[in-house]
């Protein structure tokens, strides 16, 4: 377990550092019922230019291979020119090409392609990380987000579950051993596009990380004993510790609000678990009605559930990236210029809605004082508390679009 797990150690976290996913804006926002919801897809430089004009938006994220090209020099040039950080070069191992899985794909050639995509994403993050520090965006490129949308099962009697999990675990081991320094930031989801994804919730991610680390440790033990059988116990464990440290703790998590809603659990519980284990490095903020991954403005559907989660993010000191993963399918305008403006204003409202909730959170009692509500969980009292805070006049510097 990590810091901020006892009442004595609660320390408020820093103010949010915001990012957004370029994927929503660089395509047609198509779905299976139609194409071209966005008739004016943005080019990569237009995304950076728009981002630079949004107050409070510090980073942009994109997939490789997709929105981000295999060109670290170009990405560095855009970041420097517009003073916009790259939150993460996100590894793409999903979509029609990977319909039968990425790391768990039974086709060796397709599995190899997925693994190579992740390795290259990690390498790009490693290359770009010094540039992020140079331009004052230190949260940038600390990890490669990995959402394994097609790693799962579809239907019944159609999956060798043990073999699929074994392939997935070995895939993680390969990329972590091949590319040092860059963490893998896995993103759980219950399903879609795979009907039942393997890494469905935070706890599955924790299990996966522990399984990967256990397997690496056992392999290292066997190799060290075979190659250096004359080591005494102290020398053996010192060498094991040195070599194991290259992998230990490098599988972290990105929790998406909407994915937690759909999974049916509590967003706050998932966030507390990830924070207490020290693995929460990114959030994907959005919202939905709990039956489809709509990617609405966060707080528009599940305000109180998100407030509870963000209360603990504040008091447990979350200091990672706040990334808006949204899909404003009905926002595009009649011209490209109008579309860019409407997209930017949509992102501005994402920021302001989050800052508004932050002000509510700051006015709630700290965890020590909240214990009386936890000991006597009468919802009458918490309802009164929330009303008393929300009825206060809240004021904060709102973000704007300077376009």
């Amino acid at each position: 377990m990590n810091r901020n797990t006892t009442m004595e150690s609660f320390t408020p976290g820093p103010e949010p550092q915001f990012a957004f996913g370029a994927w929503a804006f660089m395509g047609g926002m198509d779905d299976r019922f139609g194409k071209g919801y966005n008739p004016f897809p943005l080019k990569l430089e237009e995304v950076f230019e728009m981002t630079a004009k949004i107050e409070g938006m510090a980073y942009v994220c994109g997939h490789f291979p997709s929105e981000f090209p295999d060109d670290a020099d170009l990405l560095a040039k855009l970041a420097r020119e517009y003073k916009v950080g790259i939150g993460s070069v996100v590894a793409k191992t999903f979509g029609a090409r990977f319909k039968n899985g990425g790391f768990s794909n039974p086709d060796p050639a397709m599995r190899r392609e997925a693994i190579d995509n992740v390795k290259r994403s990690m390498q790009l993050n490693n290359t770009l990380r010094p540039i992020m520090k140079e331009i004052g965006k230190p949260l940038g490129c600390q990890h490669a987000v990995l959402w394994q949308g097609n790693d799962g099962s579809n239907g019944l009697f159609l999956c060798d579950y043990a073999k699929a999990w074994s392939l997935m675990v070995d895939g993680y081991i390969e990329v972590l051993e091949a590319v040092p320094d860059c963490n893998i930031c896995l993103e759980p989801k219950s399903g879609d596009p795979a009907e039942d994804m393997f890494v469905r919730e935070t706890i599955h991610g924790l299990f996966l990380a522990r399984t990967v680390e256990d397997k690496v440790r056992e392999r290292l033990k066997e190799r060290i004993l075979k190659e250096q059988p004359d080591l005494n116990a102290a020398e053996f464990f010192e060498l094991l510790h040195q070599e194991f440290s290259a992998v230990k703790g490098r599988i972290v998590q990105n929790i998406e609000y909407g994915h937690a809603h759909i999974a049916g659990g509590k967003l706050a519980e998932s966030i507390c678990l990830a924070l207490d284990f020290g693995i929460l490095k990114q959030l994907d903020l959005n919202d939905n009605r709990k039956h489809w991954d709509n990617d609405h403005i966060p707080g528009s559907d599940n305000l109180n559930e998100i407030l509870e989660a963000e209360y603990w993010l504040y008091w447990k000191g979350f200091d990672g990236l706040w990334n808006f993963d949204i899909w404003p399918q009905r926002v595009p305008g009649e011209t490209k210029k109008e579309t860019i403006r409407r997209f930017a204003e949509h992102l501005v409202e994402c920021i302001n809605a989050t800052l508004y909730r932050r002000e509510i959170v700051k006015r709630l009692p700290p965890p020590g004082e909240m214990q009386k509500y936890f000991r006597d969980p009468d919802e009458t009292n918490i309802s009164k508390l929330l009303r008393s805070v929300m009825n206060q006049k809240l004021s904060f510097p709102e973000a704007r679009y300077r376009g």
Side-chain angles (χ1 to χ4, degrees), residues 90-190:
V90 180
K92 186 171 183 179
T93 64
F94 61 89
R97 185 161 183 79
F98 298 104
K99 64 182 180 180
N100 293 325
F103 283 5
S104 64
N105 199 307
D107 182 336
M110 293 308 305
R111 181 173 180 271
R112 172 54 44 200
E113 184 175 333
I115 288 173
D116 289 345
N117 282 356
V118 175
K119 287 181 182 178
R120 185 56 184 151
S121 296
M122 296 169 73
Q123 291 166 349
L124 287 168
N125 279 296
N126 281 345
T127 301
L128 292 165
R129 193 176 306 125
I131 289 91
M132 298 303 103
K133 294 179 180 178
E134 170 195 316
I135 65 173
K137 308 295 182 185
L139 294 182
C141 298
Q142 295 293 323
H143 54 249
V145 173
L146 179 57
W147 173 62
Q148 296 178 287
N150 286 101
D151 281 291
S153 61
N154 298 279
L156 304 176
F157 298 100
L158 295 172
C159 179
D160 185 335
Y161 303 102
K163 183 177 181 180
W165 266 90
S166 180
L167 288 171
M168 188 165 64
V169 166
D170 286 345
Y172 274 90
I173 293 172
E174 179 174 339
V175 300
L176 289 169
E177 291 182 337
V179 185
D181 302 323
C182 185
N183 291 341
I184 291 292
C185 193
L186 64 84
E187 180 180 328
K189 188 180 181 183
S190 56

Side-chain angles (χ1 to χ4, degrees), residues 8-292:
E8 291 76 18
S9 64
F10 286 114
T11 304
E15 292 305 297
Q17 295 292 304
F18 294 118
F20 73 95
W23 43 86
F25 306 93
M26 292 181 65
M29 294 189 184
D30 305 332
D31 60 28
R32 59 179 176 165
F33 301 106
K35 297 182 181 298
Y37 288 86
N38 175 23
F40 306 105
L42 274 60
K43 296 177 181 177
L44 183 59
E45 184 164 0
E46 290 174 326
V47 169
F48 275 83
E49 183 180 12
M50 178 182 73
T51 308
K53 296 177 181 178
I54 299 174
E55 293 176 355
M57 192 66 77
Y59 299 86
V60 63
C61 298
H63 294 99
F64 169 82
S66 187
E67 302 85 33
F68 284 173
D70 191 0
D71 190 341
D73 290 339
L74 173 62
L75 293 170
K77 176 178 178 295
L78 291 170
R80 286 189 175 113
E81 181 177 345
Y82 290 100
K83 299 297 186 291
V84 170
I86 294 170
S88 175
V89 179
V90 180
K92 186 171 183 179
T93 64
F94 61 89
R97 185 161 183 79
F98 298 104
K99 64 182 180 180
N100 293 325
F103 283 5
S104 64
N105 199 307
D107 182 336
M110 293 308 305
R111 181 173 180 271
R112 172 54 44 200
E113 184 175 333
I115 288 173
D116 289 345
N117 282 356
V118 175
K119 287 181 182 178
R120 185 56 184 151
S121 296
M122 296 169 73
Q123 291 166 349
L124 287 168
N125 279 296
N126 281 345
T127 301
L128 292 165
R129 193 176 306 125
I131 289 91
M132 298 303 103
K133 294 179 180 178
E134 170 195 316
I135 65 173
K137 308 295 182 185
L139 294 182
C141 298
Q142 295 293 323
H143 54 249
V145 173
L146 179 57
W147 173 62
Q148 296 178 287
N150 286 101
D151 281 291
S153 61
N154 298 279
L156 304 176
F157 298 100
L158 295 172
C159 179
D160 185 335
Y161 303 102
K163 183 177 181 180
W165 266 90
S166 180
L167 288 171
M168 188 165 64
V169 166
D170 286 345
Y172 274 90
I173 293 172
E174 179 174 339
V175 300
L176 289 169
E177 291 182 337
V179 185
D181 302 323
C182 185
N183 291 341
I184 291 292
C185 193
L186 64 84
E187 180 180 328
K189 188 180 181 183
S190 56
D192 179 40
E195 291 178 16
D196 295 282
M197 286 175 57
F198 293 135
V199 182
R200 294 189 285 280
E201 297 187 62
T202 298
I203 195 68
H204 294 88
L206 281 167
F207 170 77
L208 173 66
R210 293 299 172 91
T211 303
V212 167
E213 291 185 2
D214 287 348
K215 195 166 186 177
V216 169
R217 188 187 296 108
E218 290 306 310
R219 287 180 179 178
L220 285 172
K221 286 180 180 178
E222 292 175 5
R223 181 174 62 77
I224 293 171
L225 288 171
K226 181 178 180 180
E227 295 178 355
Q228 303 183 60
D230 297 330
L231 292 176
N232 62 40
E235 292 170 334
F236 170 79
F237 284 110
E238 175 63 23
L239 182 57
L240 177 64
H241 174 75
Q242 289 177 1
E243 298 202 16
F244 182 56
S245 64
V247 171
K248 183 175 174 58
R250 287 179 57 204
I251 299 178
V252 295
Q253 286 199 29
N254 170 33
I255 292 181
E256 178 171 319
Y257 287 11
H259 292 178
H261 293 327
I262 292 173
K266 281 192 174 179
L267 175 61
E269 183 182 4
S270 293
I271 279 174
C272 286
L273 188 64
L275 283 168
D276 290 346
F277 274 87
I279 61 170
L280 186 61
K281 301 302 178 183
Q282 181 171 317
L283 302 166
D284 272 8
L285 288 79
N286 50 33
D287 214 341
N288 58 53
R289 299 289 301 280
K290 299 189 177 182
H291 55 75
W292 193 255

